[in-house]
């Protein structure tokens, strides 16, 4: 009898109401593939972008880019994983919102015994995002200053701790005083409540008018202009998300006018497309967690059949830290 797995699928783009749970067949892995049984699945804004249509996909399509579990079977040519091994990933194609799946093995990473499935499902995409932001996008040195938006979110809380562990001053922003306190507790040097303060003005005060070396902005349209105004001459703007909508077209001339600024729009999936790089990024992340330099906050858990409620909470900015789904 062919195995099936409960899987979250969309047949059309729209709000959380388009999310459906279906029993989908899963077979044996082919060459370069594994079959993994999920114990926990991660929730990320990229899932919202795919559901809404901001990031188009051929439909119908399963959702989810991150999970942790146990390898059930390995295909020909897979040498870094074995059947029965604990593993975790943040990788395409989407389909992680499921009990089990067959997928390419290259970006699936062996999971240390010291890291739980829940923690791993909450940290792979967000943690490796922080790894490339701080280590692979632009040179950052001890003593540099970074402005990080959404500092109390899943990526943000990891970034606060990562910055502190590497001697980098992190100025965060968040939408409530409670979230600001959470960011500072996790290592942010300063945190600005953007609902009650002008973050551009406050950054100028904190830096003595000099501005910051780097801005890391996952918000998009709402913060883009202000983020540029926070940079010092020759500063780097890293736009890595669109939580408030996509950034409008940019006049490159304004970068010159504001002090020869630099701008980039990276993605995690470009960085991890190389198997060796992906595995090295995961090992660095695991080392930060095992060394207690970074603690992963799993602040919300939802059963898989409540995935629509999880999406609503994420979009309403009612969450802190990471959110996971339990199959």
């Amino acid at each position: 009898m062919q195995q099936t797995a409960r899987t979250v699928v969309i047949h059309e783009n729209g709000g959380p109401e388009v999310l459906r749970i279906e029993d989908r067949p899963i077979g044996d892995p082919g060459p370069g593939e594994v079959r993994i049984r999920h114990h926990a699945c991660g929730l990320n804004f990229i899932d919202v972008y795919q559901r809404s249509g901001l990031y188009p996909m051929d439909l119908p399509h399963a959702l989810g880019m991150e999970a942790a579990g146990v390898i059930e079977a390995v295909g020909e040519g897979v040498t870094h994983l074995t059947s029965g091994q604990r593993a975790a990933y943040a990788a395409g194609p989407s389909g992680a919102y499921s009990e089990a799946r067959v997928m390419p093995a290259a970006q699936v990473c062996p999971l240390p015994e010291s890291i739980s499935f829940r923690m791993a499902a909450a940290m792979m995409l967000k943690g490796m995002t922080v790894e490339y932001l701080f280590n692979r996008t632009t040179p950052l040195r001890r003593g540099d200053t970074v402005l990080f938006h959404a500092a109390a979110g899943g990526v943000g809380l990891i970034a606060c701790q990562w910055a502190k562990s590497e001697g980098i001053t992190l100025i965060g922003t968040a939408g409530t005083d409670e979230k600001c306190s959470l960011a500072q507790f996790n290592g942010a040097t300063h945190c600005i409540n953007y609902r009650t303060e002008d973050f551009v003005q406050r950054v100028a005060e904190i830096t003595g008018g000099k501005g910051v070396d780097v801005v890391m902005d996952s918000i998009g349209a709402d913060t883009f202009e202000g983020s540029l105004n926070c940079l010092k001459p020759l500063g780097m703007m890293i736009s890595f998300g669109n939580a408030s909508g996509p950034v409008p077209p940019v006049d490159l001339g304004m970068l010159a006018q504001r002090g020869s600024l630099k701008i980039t729009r990276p993605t995690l999936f470009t960085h991890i497309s190389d198997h060796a790089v992906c595995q090295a990024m995961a090992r660095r992340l695991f080392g930060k967690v095992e060394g207690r330099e970074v603690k992963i906050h799993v602040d919300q858990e939802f059963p898989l059949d409540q995935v629509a409620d999880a999406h609503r909470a994420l979009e309403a900015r009612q969450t802190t830290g990471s959110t996971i789904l339990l199959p």
Side-chain angles (χ1 to χ4, degrees):
M1 180 182 295
Q2 189 175 41
Q3 292 190 62
T4 62
R6 295 167 67 243
T7 304
V8 176
V9 180
I10 59 169
H11 289 259
E12 59 185 338
N13 296 120
E17 69 279 357
V18 304
L19 298 165
R20 303 183 189 177
I21 296 183
E22 301 176 358
D23 286 321
R24 284 200 154 190
I26 53 170
D28 294 321
E33 294 182 330
V34 294
R35 186 173 69 238
I36 182 169
R37 176 72 50 178
H38 293 148
H39 287 234
C41 314
L43 177 73
N44 297 283
F45 261 105
I46 190 173
D47 310 335
V48 173
Y49 303 156
Q50 291 177 341
R51 190 208 72 217
S52 70
L54 179 63
Y55 291 177
M57 300 189 299
D58 293 333
L59 300 179
H61 210 297
L63 284 188
M65 304 292 287
E66 175 182 44
V70 175
I71 302 297
E72 287 190 334
V74 299
E76 181 183 351
V78 177
T79 58
H80 70 291
L81 296 165
T82 58
S83 181
Q85 188 171 16
R86 304 169 81 251
Y89 66 88
S94 59
Y97 289 1
S98 61
E99 292 177 320
R101 68 183 296 199
V102 170
M103 65 179 295
Q107 281 69 45
V108 180
C109 305
L111 180 65
E113 291 288 342
S114 61
I115 298 176
S116 70
F117 293 122
R118 280 173 161 82
M119 189 182 298
M123 69 187 254
M124 293 300 291
L125 191 146
K126 301 170 189 70
M128 290 200 293
T129 294
V130 172
E131 198 277 346
Y132 85 70
L133 288 173
F134 280 85
N135 297 103
R136 298 174 190 272
T137 308
T138 190
L140 275 168
R141 296 174 293 274
R142 183 172 295 272
D144 282 350
T145 301
V146 168
L147 173 64
F148 199 102
H149 291 294
V155 178
L157 291 181
I158 296 173
C160 290
Q161 298 172 79
W162 202 289
K164 183 177 181 180
S165 76
E166 302 200 347
I168 293 166
T169 297
L170 186 143
I171 303 171
T173 72
T176 67
D177 289 342
E178 291 76 17
K179 287 186 175 183
C180 283
S181 296
L182 181 60
Q184 289 185 277
F185 181 79
N186 280 274
T189 310
H190 309 273
C191 194
I192 303 162
N193 183 338
Y194 64 80
R195 297 189 190 278
T196 60
E197 294 186 280
D198 181 329
F199 75 83
V200 178
Q201 180 179 335
R202 187 74 184 100
V203 166
E205 293 170 357
I206 292 169
T207 62
K210 294 180 180 179
V212 300
D213 298 285
V214 177
V215 176
M216 300 178 180
D217 188 338
S218 64
I219 303 301
D222 288 355
T223 52
F224 183 76
E225 186 82 11
S227 291
L228 290 177
N229 290 333
C230 291
L231 283 168
K232 63 173 56 172
L234 303 178
M236 169 66 85
M237 169 72 170
I238 305 174
S239 176
F240 70 100
N242 317 278
S244 66
V247 174
V250 175
D251 175 7
L252 290 178
M254 76 174 178
L255 301 179
Q257 295 162 9
R258 298 182 192 209
S260 301
L261 303 181
K262 294 164 283 189
I263 186 168
T264 184
R265 179 56 174 93
T267 71
L268 171 64
F269 302 105
T270 305
H271 285 84
I272 66 171
S273 60
D274 181 90
H275 166 72
V277 171
C278 175
Q279 300 296 321
M281 291 172 68
R283 286 193 297 271
R284 187 192 291 262
L285 172 60
F286 295 152
K288 289 280 188 184
V289 173
E290 291 183 304
R292 300 186 179 181
E293 292 179 292
V294 170
K295 178 182 178 182
I296 305 302
H297 295 262
V298 184
D299 291 345
Q300 296 82 211
E301 297 184 1
F302 292 83
L304 188 64
D305 59 8
Q306 292 179 18
V307 61
D309 291 334
H311 272 234
R312 291 186 186 100
L314 182 65
E315 290 182 276
R317 302 194 186 184
Q318 295 173 347
T319 63
T320 57
S322 297
T323 303
I324 61 170
L325 304 170
L326 300 176

